[in-house]
Amino acid sequence: QVQLVESGGGLVQPGGSLRLSCAASVSILSFNVMGWYRQAPGKERELVARITSGGSTITADSVKGRFTISRDNAKNTAYLQMNSLKPEDTAVYYCNARTDWRIYWGQGTQVTVSS
């Protein structure tokens, strides 16, 4: 059974940084795409960034230049480096992984940006 476990969330002041990790229970080479999504209270879940098995990335305009997605195939882990955090980045962040047949989600990790 595939499991995705996020970690690294927490409370940070505006302008601060966090790095989220998504550890998979299987080789992430089996995933075509891995991504990070977020959902703020009262809002729909939205794509933050995603990375293909070949290393190509897409980043949402709202976080471009501040957030960077990466993956370490040897550690079966994807990362989201978040810099220059803003209060509007406050949300639950979810890891996502896709194969040709299925989509997997982690349980989410809370990120709160507040002074």
Side-chain angles (χ1 to χ4, degrees):
Q1 184 177 356
V2 175
Q3 289 188 321
L4 302 174
V5 180
E6 301 101 333
S7 61
L11 173 64
V12 63
Q13 292 187 342
S17 298
L18 285 174
R19 187 177 80 157
L20 305 183
S21 299
C22 172
S25 60
V26 298
S27 170
I28 63 173
L29 291 173
S30 62
F31 302 135
N32 298 330
V33 182
M34 295 189 74
W36 288 96
Y37 289 71
R38 68 185 181 185
Q39 187 166 20
K43 295 187 177 181
E44 294 186 354
R45 191 172 296 190
E46 63 176 0
L47 173 69
V48 177
R50 64 183 185 194
I51 184 168
T52 69
S53 56
S56 298
T57 62
I58 292 177
T59 306
D61 287 343
S62 59
V63 304
K64 197 165 293 183
R66 300 188 296 122
F67 292 11
T68 303
I69 188 171
S70 62
R71 56 192 289 166
D72 186 330
N73 294 333
K75 294 183 178 180
N76 294 322
T77 301
Y79 302 96
L80 184 68
Q81 178 66 45
M82 305 186 295
N83 299 326
S84 302
L85 283 159
K86 304 176 180 180
E88 51 263 43
D89 294 319
T90 295
V92 178
Y93 284 71
Y94 297 92
C95 179
N96 165 282
R98 300 168 182 259
T99 68
D100 288 340
W101 309 276
R102 288 196 62 176
I103 299 172
Y104 302 94
W105 291 94
Q107 81 287 351
T109 185
Q110 176 71 45
V111 171
T112 302
V113 184
S114 175
S115 55

